[in-house]
Amino acid sequence: MIAVASGANDPTALFNTVSIDGSIYTMPQLAFFATGCLLWVVAYAFVLLQAHRNRVVEMAVLAAASNLAWEFVWGVPLHTDMGVFLVWTYRAWLLFDLFIFHQVLKLGREQFTTDFFKRHYNAIVCATVVFFVAVYWGMSLSGIDSPIGARSAYVCQFIISVLCLILLVQQPSTVGYAWTITWLRSLGTLLVSVFMVLHYPKDVFLLVLCAGATVLDAFYCVYFLRLRTNKTVAMPAQVAA
């Protein structure tokens, strides 16, 4: 296996510096992207640990469904062109997220207050996964995604950033939540966003989503730190739906 393929895109190389669209992945770009992706892997491990310890999933349910859909699409039928290391990083996300999704089905029902959503919870969440699989795969089939799934990834990321912030602001305290998860996922997304700015400087659609996710994640971090001063012992709040 070639460690770094620089002449042409090689699907067996550990890293590729040439995309299938002809653009160049510089070593700094690859470093930003790979580091950000690995931080998300670690964040997923802590999400599972938190779910086991506190019986709470620290992710909005519908954001988790969207996230699983994207990771399935880009971990199974589609593959990034950045090399084997990132292909398997995407698959590591999928593996962790399958376990997280299991916890979502077990524990996420309490995020909703409406009886209809509670009664049909599993069906609604699974249907959301199927819908977003169609959306994210459809973006690639329609030629509106990039060779690494960047545009669909940031649609997914924006959904995560919005819904997780909405969930957080309804909490009376950070009991059951972990600062480690917050900074890992926020920093991971920021590093990947730096890659997007460097590699896709003219993709206005993508950069708007990057900026939006960055701002929302910053608000999340600030609000989390302010909320952490609240020592009230309470279970996480529910989402009205």
Side-chain angles (χ1 to χ4, degrees):
M1 178 185 291
I2 300 172
V4 179
S6 56
N9 189 273
D10 182 352
T12 67
L14 197 61
F15 291 99
N16 276 299
T17 61
V18 180
S19 171
I20 59 174
D21 66 8
S23 61
I24 303 299
Y25 299 125
T26 66
M27 293 309 294
Q29 289 176 14
L30 288 171
F32 278 120
F33 191 83
T35 303
C37 290
L38 288 176
L39 288 176
W40 263 99
V41 172
V42 179
Y44 281 155
F46 276 99
V47 169
L48 282 174
L49 183 62
Q50 282 291 99
H52 177 72
R53 284 179 175 175
N54 300 301
R55 307 293 296 170
V56 172
V57 178
E58 195 175 331
M59 183 177 284
V61 164
L62 298 184
S66 167
N67 201 42
L68 177 64
W70 187 90
E71 286 161 3
F72 169 77
V73 169
W74 280 94
V76 181
L78 303 178
H79 309 110
T80 176
D81 71 346
M82 297 178 79
V84 172
F85 181 86
L86 274 307
V87 168
W88 282 99
T89 300
Y90 282 22
R91 289 172 178 170
W93 288 347
L94 176 60
L95 179 62
F96 273 107
D97 220 17
L98 286 171
F99 288 103
I100 292 171
F101 190 70
H102 175 67
Q103 296 297 323
V104 165
L105 291 178
K106 287 173 56 180
L107 307 172
R109 191 184 308 267
E110 296 310 311
Q111 289 186 14
F112 298 99
T113 57
T114 304
D115 183 60
F116 175 84
F117 284 91
K118 285 180 175 289
R119 283 189 288 111
H120 302 286
Y121 174 75
N122 287 351
I124 290 170
V125 175
C126 291
T128 302
V129 174
V130 173
F131 170 76
F132 278 110
V133 165
V135 169
Y136 298 143
W137 202 348
M139 288 180 68
S140 179
L141 293 175
S142 300
I144 58 177
D145 210 347
S146 75
I148 64 171
R151 297 187 186 98
S152 59
Y154 267 85
V155 170
C156 179
Q157 179 57 53
F158 191 79
I159 292 171
I160 292 172
S161 297
V162 169
L163 295 184
C164 286
L165 179 59
I166 291 172
L167 184 63
L168 180 69
V169 298
Q170 297 179 72
Q171 308 308 314
S173 74
T174 57
V175 173
Y177 282 64
W179 171 244
T180 302
I181 296 171
T182 296
W183 75 258
L184 280 170
R185 73 176 185 84
S186 298
L187 180 58
T189 302
L190 178 62
L191 292 177
V192 172
S193 295
V194 171
F195 163 84
M196 299 300 173
V197 171
L198 294 174
H199 192 73
Y200 300 107
K202 297 181 180 179
D203 191 331
V204 176
F205 174 78
L206 178 59
L207 296 184
V208 168
L209 289 175
C210 287
T214 299
V215 171
L216 289 168
D217 286 352
F219 272 114
Y220 189 102
C221 290
V222 171
Y223 193 88
F224 185 100
L225 292 174
R226 291 181 60 185
L227 190 61
R228 193 164 64 169
T229 62
N230 184 346
K231 302 301 183 182
T232 303
V233 178
M235 289 304 293
Q238 298 174 327
V239 176

